[in-house]
């Protein structure tokens, strides 16, 4: 008997009809003789709506209370879906993270899973029940509810698949797989039959929201057999795995991220330890920085620029300003009308000229590059936000245009 983890995203459980559709997929998997462990997201735009409600009451609400609020969306989904399965005469139980024992760090709104207790879920599976678990949420050592970051239900699913050594982890969503870029931006993007963990991790980290990046990280670490499939059409999706036979193209895809900003700390002393102090302070405030550039200014001062999630800008500026006397900089500037566009592909390690081809596409589209940042299998450029969609189209066309 196999254990299959199935995760359904917000659009897949949007309304009563979609919940019934999800219940049917789960029921079919169960009736085929599998044990089924299900993770659900909040319905449709519930999480965004809850954020809006909070804004109306207190735009500076604490992250703890935000987690109390946002975690409710997933609880609604699991209860409703359990009711649909009950209505079909199937044995089912829905569980919140605190009932399961999904332990996380205490970093509200961006908590990491530290441990999953097996006992409760195992007991229910042993009773032949379908188990529905609320995604996105966890519980910290004080018993407080935490959330894993936007899109985090994918990570709940993979973590459960790893903890229970599931035979397969299926991520059901509103697209039928991972494409060479967001099919909503480029309608003739191509579906990938398979993609490596490393490439998927880069794509997800660079803004392809089809999978939460930490879910891919976990899948790679624990060798979880993972696939992205449609909840609306029953057809093969995209397998995410260790090795993929990439014969034709050396680029797996193009991603864009418009949720970032750039901060420049201007007029720092050109001494050893300055970069350490800046990023140590930001790290202690749980702020993840991405691309970093240091440039030498006039009179042996230096500037340090870095990109970070737009949501963290206020906090980052506060941390820097509060430590101005220690860091001794002149001023801080913030640029938030920027975007990052990236190409990702394991093949670029062995193929020269890939970056040049990307830059040529941007040049032809008359798009100016502000910053460039690379990894072994990725090239990212920072550009004006207003050019982001045009850049994705131009770069995608350059690498994938003319293919069948
Ligand atoms: P869910 O609610 O199921 O978690 P998401 O909205 O988080 O779904 O992710 C699915 C969306 O990701 C798709 O609707 C699509 O617009 C977007 N997307 C971005 N990049 C890609 C890509 N490379 N391949 C497929 N979908 C992508
Ligand atoms: N409901 C959460 C969100 O909208 C988690 C998820 O969908 O994965 O971010
Ligand atoms: Mg998602």
């Amino acid at each position: 008997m196999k254990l299959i983890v199935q995760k359904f995203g917000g659009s897949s459980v949007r309304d009563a009809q979609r919940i019934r559709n999800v219940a049917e997929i789960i029921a079919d998997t169960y009736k085929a003789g599998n044990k089924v462990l299900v993770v659900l997201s909040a319905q449709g735009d519930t999480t965004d709506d809850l954020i809006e409600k909070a804004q109306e009451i207190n735009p500076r609400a604490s992250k703890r209370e935000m987690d109390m609020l946002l975690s409710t969306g997933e609880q609604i989904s699991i209860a409703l879906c359990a009711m649909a399965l009950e209505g079909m005469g199937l044995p089912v139980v829905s569980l919140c993270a605190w009932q399961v024992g999904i332990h996380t760090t205490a970093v509200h709104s961006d908590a990491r899973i530290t441990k999953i207790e097996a006992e409760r879920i195992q007991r229910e599976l042993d009773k032949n029940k379908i188990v529905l678990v609320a995604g996105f949420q966890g519980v910290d050592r004080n018993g407080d509810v935490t959330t894993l970051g936007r899109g985090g239900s994918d990570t709940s699913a993979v973590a459960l698949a790893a903890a229970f050594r599931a035979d397969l982890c299926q991520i059901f969503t509103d697209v039928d797989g991972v494409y060479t870029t967001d099919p909503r931006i480029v309608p003739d993007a191509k579906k990938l039959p398979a993609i490596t963990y490393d490439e998927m991790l880069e794509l997800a980290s660079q803004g392809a929201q089809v999978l939460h990046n930490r879910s891919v990280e976990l899948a790679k670490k624990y060798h979880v057999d993972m696939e992205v499939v449609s909840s609306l059409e029953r057809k093969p999706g995209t397998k995410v795995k260790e090795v993929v036979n990439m014969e034709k193209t050396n680029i797996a895809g193009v991603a864009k991220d418009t949720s970032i900003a750039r901060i420049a700390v201007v007029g720092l002393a050109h001494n050893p330890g300055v970069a350490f102090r800046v990023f140590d302070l930001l790290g202690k405030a749980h702020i993840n920085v991405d691309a970093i550039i240091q440039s030498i200014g006039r009179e042996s001062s230096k500037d340090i620029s870095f990109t970070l999630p737009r949501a963290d800008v206020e906090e980052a500026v506060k941390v820097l300003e509060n430590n101005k006397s220690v860091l001794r900089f002149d001023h801080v500037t913030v640029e938030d009308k920027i975007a990052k566009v990236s190409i990702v592909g394991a093949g670029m390690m062995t193929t020269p000229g890939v970056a040049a081809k990307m830059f040529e596409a941007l040049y032809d589209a008359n798009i100016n590059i502000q910053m460039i940042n690379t990894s072994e299998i990725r090239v990212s450029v920072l550009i004006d936000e207003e050019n982001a969609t045009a850049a994705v189209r131009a770069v995608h066309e350059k690498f994938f245009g003319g293919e069948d």
Side-chain angles (χ1 to χ4, degrees), residues 179-196:
Y179 280 71
T180 48
T181 194
D182 189 339
R184 285 179 215 287
I185 300 179
V186 180
D188 63 353
K190 318 253 169 340
K191 185 163 98 183
L192 301 165
I195 184 167
T196 65

Side-chain angles (χ1 to χ4, degrees), residues 152-214:
S153 295
D154 299 331
T155 297
S156 309
V158 175
L160 284 164
F164 286 86
R165 298 196 167 73
D167 296 280
L168 178 62
C169 180
Q170 297 180 299
I171 307 289
F172 287 86
T173 183
D174 58 356
V175 275
D176 60 0
V178 179
Y179 280 71
T180 48
T181 194
D182 189 339
R184 285 179 215 287
I185 300 179
V186 180
D188 63 353
K190 318 253 169 340
K191 185 163 98 183
L192 301 165
I195 184 167
T196 65
Y197 291 124
D198 288 334
E199 289 169 318
M200 191 62 237
L201 180 56
E202 287 277 16
L203 277 180
S205 303
Q206 301 308 322
Q209 100 245 37
V210 62
L211 286 177
H212 193 227
N213 59 353
R214 275 157 46 206

Side-chain angles (χ1 to χ4, degrees), residues 7 10 41-42 47 74 136 149-154:
K7 179 261 171 178
S41 291
T47 311
E74 275 64 17
F136 182 51
R150 297 304 306 270
S153 295
D154 299 331

Side-chain angles (χ1 to χ4, degrees), residues 102-326:
I102 301 182
H103 298 278
T104 70
T105 59
V107 184
H108 288 288
S109 85
D110 193 24
R112 312 277 143 151
I113 297 173
T114 49
K115 186 181 160 208
I116 295 182
E117 282 174 37
E119 201 269 331
R120 178 70 194 267
I121 288 182
Q122 197 57 57
R123 186 157 30 104
E124 303 294 355
L125 289 174
D126 290 345
K127 284 192 265 182
N128 269 328
K129 286 199 183 171
I130 296 168
V131 180
L132 307 187
V133 179
F136 182 51
Q137 51 176 255
V139 61
D140 72 9
R141 61 180 175 278
N142 302 315
D144 284 342
V145 177
T146 56
T147 64
L148 308 180
R150 297 304 306 270
S153 295
D154 299 331
T155 297
S156 309
V158 175
L160 284 164
F164 286 86
R165 298 196 167 73
D167 296 280
L168 178 62
C169 180
Q170 297 180 299
I171 307 289
F172 287 86
T173 183
D174 58 356
V175 275
D176 60 0
V178 179
Y179 280 71
T180 48
T181 194
D182 189 339
R184 285 179 215 287
I185 300 179
V186 180
D188 63 353
K190 318 253 169 340
K191 185 163 98 183
L192 301 165
I195 184 167
T196 65
Y197 291 124
D198 288 334
E199 289 169 318
M200 191 62 237
L201 180 56
E202 287 277 16
L203 277 180
S205 303
Q206 301 308 322
Q209 100 245 37
V210 62
L211 286 177
H212 193 227
N213 59 353
R214 275 157 46 206
S215 74
V216 187
E217 213 166 44
L218 278 184
K220 177 178 161 73
K221 187 165 171 194
Y222 295 101
H223 308 287
V224 174
D225 195 350
M226 189 181 191
E227 67 181 13
V228 178
V229 276
S230 165
S231 63
L232 302 170
E233 297 167 278
R234 301 203 183 185
K235 57 179 183 185
T238 300
K239 285 268 180 198
V240 188
K241 52 191 202 177
E242 194 60 51
V243 187
V244 170
N245 186 12
M246 298 271 289
E247 287 177 52
K248 238 172 116 190
T249 138
N250 39 52
I251 298 298
V254 184
K256 87 166 154 95
D257 188 350
T258 50
S259 68
I260 57 163
R262 183 181 53 188
I263 289 185
V265 190
V266 180
L268 288 154
H270 192 35
N271 292 332
V274 170
F276 159 66
R277 277 197 289 276
V278 168
F279 294 110
D280 185 47
L281 282 165
L282 294 169
K284 283 182 177 141
H286 304 290
I287 294 166
N288 280 326
V289 305
D290 186 28
I292 301 173
I293 284 191
Q294 173 174 305
S295 49
I296 305 301
R298 273 167 292 144
E299 287 156 18
S300 70
S301 71
K302 65 181 169 191
D303 304 341
I304 292 181
S305 305
F306 55 91
T307 57
L308 74 172
R310 229 172 258 181
D312 290 341
V313 165
E314 205 180 320
E315 180 70 16
V317 171
K318 200 168 93 191
V319 167
L320 292 167
E321 293 289 356
N322 285 349
N323 290 282
K324 196 168 181 178
S325 56
V326 189

